[in-house]
Amino acid sequence: MRAARLIKMVLLLQSRPAMTAAELARELQVSERTVTRDAQALSEAGVPVYADRGRAGGYRLVGGYRTRLTGLARSEAEALFLSGVPAALREMGLGDAHSAARLKVSAALLPSLRDAPDSAAQRFHLDAPAWFREPETPALLPAVAEAVWDDRRVSARYRRGEAEVERVLEPYGLVLKAGVWYLCARVAGGGSCRTGDGPFRTYRIDRFGAVEPLEEQFARDPDFDLPGHWAAQAERFARSILRAEVVVRLSPEGARMLRYAVDPLSAREALSGPVEPDGAGWVTVTLPVESEEVAHAQLTTLGAEAEVLAPRSLRERFAADAARLAALYGGPRPRRRR
């Protein structure tokens, strides 16, 4: 609809100093001719859209013009209040800023949408920590978060195994994964270098022994993509711990349940290749695993739907388990005492 497109055009111009007709057309998915007509319509409606002519020209808002959020639909307003994680914001020291922002956005909404915050909160809740663990907020998290926002270098002491190392870091971004906070950072360049040129690394916040913000700021790498970096790091970590292999024969039910029993990456790799069922419908796959000990614990959950063929030591371990189970369940059922 044109009304929604006009509102989006104003919001785009509010967020940037200026935009060319081509940029606006790409964002709005319309032609440049339509952008010109929309700009004229906004101007006639009293929105101060100014067009700069020439090759370097474009469109911009003048006079510090800002629009209130009266164009939000109910679903958009409710989605807006779902975009944050209040507990995580409080842990980073941003609880007050979050509350103030919610109040300002709520005040800008139409009266018919004022219940959007409560409507969303009563329908969806994100519980970030994993099960069976007490979430702990690292004491140094607020200091790290402040440095991330300010693009400010920090001098940090970090526990690596039994040792502690000291580094000057450029903190790029924070990630909360299953209740654990991580920092994606670069080791700072030496001397007067404004930015590091080494690889990005990931640090657990709770392993920092000290974090001291420094005076100098760093220039962020414009190509750094935090979600992409984290996804790549997570996959590399998952692959790095799969150091052993198990050959296992799976029933149709075992193949279906494999992804629930082992690491999803292991299951995908095992079942991604060409596997031909035998006469009984079972398939034989090579499963990457962390260790024989871990494989024993994971594959035990599949019971009789999986048969370990190799390594021999693991097969013998399952054979011993089966013998013990047969001894437990093979005899007559004991009578219950009255």
Side-chain angles (χ1 to χ4, degrees), residues 90-127:
R90 286 194 298 271
E91 291 180 6
M92 289 189 291
L94 298 174
D96 291 341
H98 174 248
S99 297
R102 285 174 62 93
L103 286 173
K104 290 178 180 179
V105 174
S106 296
L109 293 173
L110 292 171
S112 61
L113 301 179
R114 294 283 166 80
D115 66 336
D118 293 333
S119 174
Q122 294 305 318
R123 287 167 171 79
F124 300 97
H125 175 68
L126 176 60
D127 185 9

Side-chain angles (χ1 to χ4, degrees), residues 202-221:
T202 302
Y203 302 85
R204 276 184 63 143
I205 300 293
D206 58 8
R207 291 182 183 168
F208 282 114
V211 173
E212 181 183 352
L214 303 177
E215 290 296 325
E216 65 265 26
Q217 292 180 292
F218 64 93
R220 292 179 68 90
D221 184 343

Side-chain angles (χ1 to χ4, degrees), residues 85 87-88 91 125-131 133 135 176-181:
V85 184
E91 291 180 6
H125 175 68
L126 176 60
D127 185 9
W131 287 104
R133 62 180 301 168
L176 176 60
K177 170 70 172 179
V180 180
W181 284 95

Side-chain angles (χ1 to χ4, degrees), residues 284-303:
T284 299
V285 299
T286 299
L287 181 70
V289 294
E290 183 175 346
S291 66
E292 186 173 313
E293 187 75 25
V294 171
H296 176 258
Q298 292 175 335
L299 294 176
T300 295
T301 62
L302 294 178

Side-chain angles (χ1 to χ4, degrees), residues 4-336:
R5 189 175 71 241
L6 292 174
I7 292 172
K8 184 175 181 180
M9 183 174 180
V10 173
L11 294 175
L12 285 169
L13 293 175
Q14 278 186 189
S15 65
R16 307 179 194 181
M19 295 183 70
T20 65
E23 290 172 334
L24 284 168
R26 186 165 55 251
E27 290 283 349
L28 299 172
Q29 297 183 351
V30 296
S31 66
E32 293 186 30
R33 185 183 297 274
T34 299
V35 168
T36 302
R37 288 198 298 265
D38 285 352
Q40 180 65 32
L42 288 170
S43 181
E44 292 173 355
V47 179
V49 178
Y50 182 79
D52 292 316
R53 306 296 179 186
R55 293 183 60 187
Y59 294 93
R60 59 186 175 88
L61 294 175
V62 296
Y65 178 84
R66 309 294 294 175
T67 184
R68 289 168 62 87
L69 298 177
T70 51
L72 285 175
R74 169 167 292 279
S75 60
E76 295 169 332
E78 290 175 344
L80 177 64
F81 286 99
L82 286 173
S83 61
V85 184
L89 292 170
R90 286 194 298 271
E91 291 180 6
M92 289 189 291
L94 298 174
D96 291 341
H98 174 248
S99 297
R102 285 174 62 93
L103 286 173
K104 290 178 180 179
V105 174
S106 296
L109 293 173
L110 292 171
S112 61
L113 301 179
R114 294 283 166 80
D115 66 336
D118 293 333
S119 174
Q122 294 305 318
R123 287 167 171 79
F124 300 97
H125 175 68
L126 176 60
D127 185 9
W131 287 104
F132 313 119
R133 62 180 301 168
E134 289 292 331
E136 296 182 2
T137 303
L140 296 173
L141 177 60
V144 175
E146 185 174 355
V148 169
W149 282 113
D150 293 343
D151 294 337
R152 190 171 302 281
R153 289 178 174 176
V154 298
S155 176
R157 293 203 312 270
Y158 186 77
R159 296 192 305 277
R160 181 176 293 168
E162 299 298 323
E164 191 172 66
V165 297
E166 188 165 353
R167 296 282 188 272
V168 174
L169 301 176
E170 295 173 350
Y172 269 70
L174 289 165
V175 175
L176 176 60
K177 170 70 172 179
V180 180
W181 284 95
Y182 297 87
L183 172 68
C184 298
R186 222 176 199 174
V187 176
S192 60
C193 181
R194 292 198 61 215
T195 184
D197 57 2
F200 289 96
R201 297 175 180 172
T202 302
Y203 302 85
R204 276 184 63 143
I205 300 293
D206 58 8
R207 291 182 183 168
F208 282 114
V211 173
E212 181 183 352
L214 303 177
E215 290 296 325
E216 65 265 26
Q217 292 180 292
F218 64 93
R220 292 179 68 90
D221 184 343
D223 295 328
F224 177 73
D225 172 35
L226 180 59
H229 168 78
W230 178 257
Q233 285 283 98
E235 183 167 348
R236 276 198 295 271
F237 173 75
R239 290 182 183 279
S240 69
I241 64 174
L242 302 177
R243 303 185 182 95
E245 289 184 343
V246 171
V247 180
V248 59
R249 183 169 171 261
L250 300 167
S251 71
E253 179 64 11
R256 187 184 71 83
M257 295 297 297
L258 184 64
R259 62 192 178 104
Y260 302 109
V262 304
D263 184 272
L265 178 62
S266 298
R268 284 200 306 271
E269 292 199 356
L271 298 172
S272 62
V275 287
E276 290 294 330
D278 59 19
W282 289 50
V283 295
T284 299
V285 299
T286 299
L287 181 70
V289 294
E290 183 175 346
S291 66
E292 186 173 313
E293 187 75 25
V294 171
H296 176 258
Q298 292 175 335
L299 294 176
T300 295
T301 62
L302 294 178
E305 306 301 328
E307 177 190 8
V308 172
L309 303 180
R312 183 172 181 175
S313 56
L314 183 58
R315 180 177 174 85
E316 291 175 348
R317 194 167 180 175
F318 274 99
D321 290 345
R324 291 175 59 198
L325 287 171
L328 285 174
Y329 292 100
R333 185 176 181 182
R335 295 181 180 180
R336 294 180 60 185

